[in-house]
Amino acid sequence: KQWYQRRVRGDFQEGLEPNLEVRGDTHTVSSLLKLYLRVLPDSIIPSSLYEDFVAIILTYEINPTEGLNEMQHLLRRIPPTNFNTLRMLCTFLHKVQTYSDKNLMDLNNLAIVFSPTILKNRGVDNLEKEMEDIQKLKKVTEIMILNCAKLFPADRDLEDENEL
């Protein structure tokens, strides 16, 4: 299985388009997606906004509507390419969790798997702080997946001035 993942990864790196349907191996595709997100220079949500996103959890627990509004505002501060990528990822993960009775990937499981790649605090070498924040990061990810239609409206792509 790992040899196949290395081959597919190599094909992507060489600009080829491997046929992922031949093996029907969803684990390879998900492993490659997580690897891609893990090796990005910064997480999809920039680490400079880490504390702001973690702080939203307190607001959300007191008033979910206000917490969602704050998160929507914060999401507008991430770079346009990151916003659009996060929107597609959360929309996809939302769809995946609707089939949890077949794939066993419910909202909780998806948040556990993807939260470390969506939001990282790269500047912290404090293991205690990281462990303390795990549940908060998972909650941020759950909120984004569950509320992706409100947080990432399909009709609103952010424009990247560098691409214009």
Side-chain angles (χ1 to χ4, degrees):
K1 185 174 176 176
Q2 283 190 333
W3 69 267
Y4 182 68
Q5 288 178 4
R6 282 193 298 272
R7 190 176 114 212
V8 171
R9 182 178 177 199
D11 286 351
F12 276 122
Q13 289 174 333
E14 292 177 25
L16 304 173
E17 292 186 28
N19 184 352
L20 298 171
E21 294 178 15
V22 172
R23 289 182 51 112
D25 184 4
T26 56
H27 298 289
T28 296
V29 175
S30 64
S31 293
L32 289 170
L33 175 60
K34 289 184 296 185
L35 175 64
Y36 170 77
L37 295 173
R38 195 170 42 249
V39 300
L40 289 173
D42 199 358
S43 51
I44 297 176
I45 296 175
S47 55
S48 60
L49 296 174
Y50 178 90
E51 293 297 334
D52 296 327
F53 274 89
V54 169
I56 283 177
I57 296 308
L58 183 59
T59 304
Y60 185 84
E61 288 174 350
I62 295 169
N63 183 335
T65 301
E66 188 178 330
L68 281 177
N69 289 338
E70 283 185 28
M71 186 174 287
Q72 196 169 34
H73 177 72
L74 261 181
L75 286 167
R76 297 295 175 178
R77 292 179 46 199
I78 70 174
T81 302
N82 296 41
F83 177 88
N84 294 329
T85 301
L86 186 59
R87 180 185 55 149
M88 285 188 254
L89 178 62
C90 289
T91 301
F92 172 70
L93 295 177
H94 186 271
K95 186 171 185 172
V96 168
Q97 64 95 28
T98 64
Y99 294 97
S100 64
D101 59 324
K102 294 179 178 81
N103 63 27
L104 306 179
M105 293 305 289
D106 61 14
L107 183 62
N108 181 63
N109 291 340
L110 290 168
I112 289 170
V113 170
F114 282 93
S115 63
T117 61
I118 290 175
L119 183 59
K120 297 178 223 170
N121 194 358
R122 294 207 186 259
V124 172
D125 288 331
N126 184 340
L127 184 59
E128 186 177 320
K129 169 86 169 116
E130 286 183 36
M131 296 305 288
E132 187 179 298
D133 287 350
I134 285 176
Q135 290 302 317
K136 293 175 186 170
L137 298 178
K138 185 175 88 63
K139 187 68 175 174
V140 167
T141 305
E142 287 177 352
I143 292 167
M144 287 190 296
I145 294 170
L146 195 56
N147 298 284
C148 63
K150 177 175 175 38
L151 295 171
F152 307 99
D155 62 338
R156 283 200 258 161
D157 272 359
L158 291 184
E159 299 278 332
D160 187 346
E161 298 96 34
N162 297 330
E163 295 177 356
L164 297 177

